[in-house]
Every structure is written in C-alpha cells, then in structure tokens.
Amino acid sequence: MAGNKPVVWVSRPTFDSEIARLLPHFEVREEAAEVKFASADLAAKLAGCDAAIVGLKDRVGAAEIAGAQRLRIVANLGVGYDNLDVTALTAAGIAASNTADVLNESVADFAWALLLGAARRVGEAERWLRAGQWHATGFKAWLGIDVRGRTLGILGMGRIGQAIARRAQGFGMPVLYHNRSRLPETTERECRARLVDKATLLRESDFLVLVLPLTPQTRHAIGAAELAQMKPTAVLVNVARGGIVDDAALAAALREGRLAAAGLDVFEGEPKVHPDLLALDNALLSPHIASATTETRRAMTAVAVDNVLALFSHGPHAGSPPNLLNSEALVVARAPFPTREEPTR
Ligand code: 8YV
C-alpha cells in the first residue's frame, strides 16, 4: 500500500474516465505507453501493487507473481486470457478476471468485415487502386465470391460465435457449428445454427470462422490435415487467437489454391506475421483489432475497473467481482487485507 491506499498498476494507457473511478480508493500507477515487458520487469511492476489491470502482452505466471506478496487481483483487458496462468494465480490466492460479453458485438462485426473483405478481395483491390493500376482493369477482373446463401461454419460457439451466427440471417446463410457442448435449443433456434462434428464443419463450410479460446487442446486446431478437408473455394476467418491456426500450413494452402482466401486478425507469435502470409494477396490481414471500437474498449476498461473495485469491496459489485475466472482464489485472497502484506521486522 502507498499511504493508506492500495496500489493498482495499469499496464497500458486506457480510458481515463473509467480509471478515474479507482482514484477515491486506490493509488493508480498507469504506464504511459503500451510495451511488452520482459518477465523480470513485469515481476518488478507486480511486486509493488495490490491489483493489476493487464492486457494480452502481459504474460502473468508463477515467475511474474513470485514477489507479488500483496497482489490480490489481476484483471485482464480481454475476454481471452491465455496470457494468464490461472492455475498459478489461484494457487497464490490471486483472483483473475476477464472482460467477457462487452466485446461480443464488436468482434462479431469485425469477423463479418474480414469475411466479406476476403470474399470480395477488398484489401487486394485497395492496394491495386492506390498503386495507380486502375487503367488496366476489365469486366472479368476482380471477381470475388458471393456470400449470400452459402454455408457459414463456426468453430467455437460461445457468445461471440452466436453473435456472428445471428448476423448470417441477413445473408440467408445456413449456419453450422461445432462446439464442446451443444447450445440450448432456444439458442440454436435463435441463431438458426445446427451442431455438427468437426469433420462435417470442415467439409461443408463455405466460410469458416474461428472463435474458440487458445488452450493446449486447441493449438493448431486448424492445421494441414484440417485445411485439406476444406473446400478449395472456402474462406477461413480467424478472430480468436493466433496459434489456433498453423499459419505456415495456411499460407501453403492459400498459395497452392487449396483454400480460396483468409481473413485473419490474429497470428501465431504476433506481432510477428508469417512472411508467407504477408506475401499473399488472398490473405486479408489486420493487427488484432476485432474489439477495437471506442465504445467497446471503453467498456472493457470499465469491466476491468469494476472487477478491481469489487474485489476490494467497492463499486456496484462490491465483494463479488463480476467476471471472476477463479472463485477458488477468493478463499485465500479474501484474507483480511493487511495479512497479505509482508511482515515488517
Ligand atoms: C484484446 C482480445 O483484448 O478480448 C480478447 O481476447 O483478443 C482483444 O479484445 C484487445 O486487442 C486488447 O489487447
């Protein structure tokens, strides 16, 4: 604690109006720029604080929290939390939270932007126009793929997948999905979506959108073998996480005409992008921006702030952080605040 107030470390600039809600209760230390901290630097930042608001660049595990005796919550600015070792946080009695729900609609919109953009060659055409090539066009140039009536496949049918599915009705597209568990019938009806096995999804989708979390089990869920099962006319869209797709295998399939196009917001090892993808005109690429609207990024900040406030018994959810990922941690984390401080000798 600094003075009488616990310290919140915010690892990047966010939205001041939301961070301001912390000020009556906390000393806020906000980084002036968003950088990727080395593990030791992250550990040093966490060592001095009681709560942390972090993002995907911040990989928080056992090593980073080893000296963080006072840390009680790590609030992640993202629905995906593969950057957090939740097991290590739980064992240390540190709560973890994410920003589920507030970004569903923005990410669904962006999935459609990539789907339509890849189908209609928007990135490629724009590059060509800017290069002053318009004089050399023709009636049969720039032919793309129609979307209407084609089959939309969704791998990972959580709330973002459902929001993507609902939009398909406007395009008259049948929707297939594959998920760990079947959706309730009412949700399936609302999304007009049908559960199929993964092989059927790969085989029948004209557009396949990936919306599943990255876990050891989903790494390379789409690799060479899966790509080989897809139609050569199909379009793949990934708004989930890099690493779910084997980018080298995808680049080879796109280059060799075994897949028509891809729209990708996330990459294995980002911010690096596989050089073969960068060289391909039928890959529409964006720098992990699917949730990047003003409203949504502000809402994500608000959720992270709410979770921190709640853990310290303030704000609208006092005592019950609304997006807790590890309620087991509260048993330890709820120990009276001063007991988690290092004893003074
Ligand atoms: C990022 C995301 O959080 O929510 C997620 O899981 O991947 C994004 O919304 C955002 O890009 C900030 O890094």
Side-chain angles (χ1 to χ4, degrees):
M1 283 199 293
N4 288 326
K5 287 183 178 175
V7 174
V8 185
W9 177 61
V10 187
S11 76
R12 65 211 38 225
T14 58
F15 285 80
D16 291 348
S17 56
E18 299 304 329
I19 296 297
R21 294 194 289 123
L22 293 166
L23 294 174
H25 313 286
F26 297 90
E27 178 192 323
V28 176
R29 296 182 189 156
E30 191 176 27
E31 295 297 321
E34 183 169 330
V35 298
K36 175 137 180 63
F37 289 102
S39 169
D41 295 335
L42 196 48
K45 296 284 183 187
L46 295 174
C49 61
D50 303 275
I53 295 179
V54 304
L56 302 185
K57 286 192 184 81
D58 307 313
R59 305 202 70 82
V60 183
E64 291 74 25
I65 58 172
Q69 299 301 317
R70 293 166 18 198
L71 188 60
R72 294 180 66 196
I73 179 166
V74 175
N76 205 36
L77 288 163
V79 59
Y81 51 88
D82 44 288
N83 56 314
L84 306 183
D85 181 341
V86 177
T87 307
L89 290 171
T90 307
I94 299 170
S97 64
N98 71 350
T99 59
D101 279 342
V102 291
L103 42 66
N104 297 348
E105 303 301 326
S106 298
V107 174
D109 285 349
F110 198 76
W112 276 94
L114 286 179
L115 187 159
L116 291 163
R120 299 303 303 273
R121 306 170 65 179
V122 172
E124 189 186 351
E126 206 232 15
R127 283 193 297 282
W128 185 84
L129 180 147
R130 285 182 188 275
Q133 299 293 327
W134 199 341
H135 56 90
T137 193
F139 188 65
K140 288 182 74 182
W142 295 108
L143 303 181
I145 302 168
D146 272 328
V147 170
R148 187 166 172 80
R150 294 259 155 83
T151 298
L152 175 66
I154 301 178
L155 185 56
M157 195 65 158
R159 279 161 292 196
I160 297 174
Q162 292 164 33
I164 293 169
R166 282 198 302 274
R167 285 157 172 75
Q169 291 172 31
F171 291 92
M173 297 171 82
V175 181
L176 303 177
Y177 76 96
H178 182 68
N179 200 40
R180 272 173 309 189
S181 52
R182 185 170 181 178
L183 298 179
E185 258 177 64
T186 46
T187 313
E188 278 190 347
R189 256 201 309 278
E190 196 210 332
C191 296
R192 297 196 201 166
R194 184 161 64 85
L195 179 71
V196 292
D197 59 31
K198 190 176 170 188
T200 305
L201 188 79
L202 293 169
R203 201 176 53 242
E204 294 192 2
S205 297
D206 294 305
F207 297 89
L208 178 60
V209 184
L210 309 179
V211 211
L212 63 176
L214 178 65
T215 65
Q217 292 73 39
T218 63
R219 181 168 293 282
H220 286 191
I222 301 293
E226 288 75 18
L227 291 164
Q229 296 173 60
M230 293 178 69
K231 300 180 186 180
T233 49
V235 175
L236 180 72
V237 173
N238 188 3
V239 288
R241 274 292 179 275
I244 290 172
V245 176
D246 177 342
D247 283 351
L250 173 61
L254 289 168
R255 192 175 48 240
E256 293 159 17
R258 290 184 279 112
L259 193 72
L264 307 170
D265 189 46
V266 288
F267 305 88
E268 262 185 306
E270 61 187 52
K272 287 198 192 112
V273 178
H274 196 293
D276 292 356
L277 287 174
L278 290 171
L280 287 167
D281 268 335
N282 54 350
L284 176 60
L285 313 175
S286 57
H288 202 149
I289 59 171
S291 70
T293 67
T294 307
E295 295 88 337
T296 292
R297 287 282 166 90
R298 188 192 303 281
M300 290 165 71
T301 310
V303 169
V305 165
D306 281 345
N307 279 285
V308 170
L309 285 171
L311 194 89
F312 287 80
S313 303
H314 304 299
H317 309 278
S320 310
N323 297 69
L324 203 59
L325 300 169
N326 58 348
S327 50
E328 319 87 270
L330 290 190
V331 178
V332 184
R334 269 187 178 158
F337 187 48
T339 63
R340 287 189 52 79
E341 290 191 86
E342 278 175 303
T344 35
R345 290 172 208 278

